[in-house]
Each structure stands twice: as C-alpha cells, then as structure tokens.
Amino acid sequence: QVQLVESGGGLVQAGGSLRLSCAASGSIWGINVMGWYRQAPGEERELVATITSSISTYYADSVKGRFTISRDNVKNTVYLQMNSLKPEDTAVYYCNLKRYGVDDWGKGTLVTVSS
C-alpha cells in the first residue's frame, strides 16, 4: 500500500496563492490517476483536479483557470498550485491515488482563505 503525505496548506487572504504537495511513498508504477479532493465543513468531499500517469488533466468548473495540477513521476509527487483563492476554497484538501481499482488517500491538509 502506498502512503500519501500532503503539505503546503495554511491560512491565506483572498486573492492569494498556495501550493500543495503530495508525496507518495514507494514506487507508483503502471497506469494511475493522482488527484486532489476537498471537503469543506458540513459538506461532502468533492473532486478538485486529477492528473493521469500520461499527464492528462481534469479540473472542476469551480477551480478552472485558477488551479493547476502537475506531477513529478520521478519524485512520485503531485502538486496543486492554487491562485486567486476565494473564501469558498476553504476546506481540507486530500490527495488521492487511483490505480487498478484501488484508492489510496492522504490524511489531508487544511486550507483557510480569509476574506
């Protein structure tokens, strides 16, 4: 089983930027999808962005044009660059790895955007 460790969360003012990182322990081989999800207080977890092992990306409409997902396959790390942050982006952000029907999750990192 792969362990995923997120970092980079914190408190930022509206309009600011943060960069989240998620490092995967062990080797990630084969076809896989890494992604970021978020869960705001009282809300369900929602998809933010994904990136495949072939570097195809997907973004939720709410973050298109503001967030950029990328990955380093040598370092087994996925990143989420978040710009023009809004208070409604406040949530715990979780890293996810999908491969061959198996989901691995990180423990999450808190992002708080003040107005």
Side-chain angles (χ1 to χ4, degrees):
Q1 187 175 1
V2 174
Q3 288 191 328
L4 304 173
V5 179
E6 302 99 333
S7 61
L11 174 64
V12 64
Q13 288 189 331
S17 298
L18 282 174
R19 188 193 195 207
L20 305 183
S21 299
C22 171
S25 64
S27 177
I28 302 175
W29 48 268
I31 300 170
N32 62 80
V33 181
M34 297 192 78
W36 290 95
Y37 291 70
R38 67 186 181 187
Q39 187 167 19
E43 302 288 334
E44 293 191 353
R45 192 173 297 188
E46 64 174 1
L47 174 64
V48 175
T50 61
I51 184 166
T52 69
S53 46
S54 58
I55 320 297
S56 175
T57 59
Y58 168 85
Y59 296 93
D61 287 342
S62 58
V63 306
K64 277 182 184 176
R66 300 189 298 123
F67 291 10
T68 302
I69 190 169
S70 61
R71 64 189 287 171
D72 184 328
N73 288 332
V74 174
K75 296 182 178 179
N76 287 335
T77 301
V78 63
Y79 305 96
L80 186 68
Q81 178 67 43
M82 305 185 294
N83 299 328
S84 303
L85 282 161
K86 304 175 182 180
E88 50 264 43
D89 294 318
T90 294
V92 177
Y93 283 70
Y94 296 91
C95 180
N96 173 263
L97 169 65
K98 295 185 188 298
R99 49 179 186 160
Y100 305 108
V102 176
D103 271 278
D104 289 299
W105 292 94
K107 293 184 178 181
T109 185
L110 177 63
V111 172
T112 304
V113 184
S114 63
S115 57

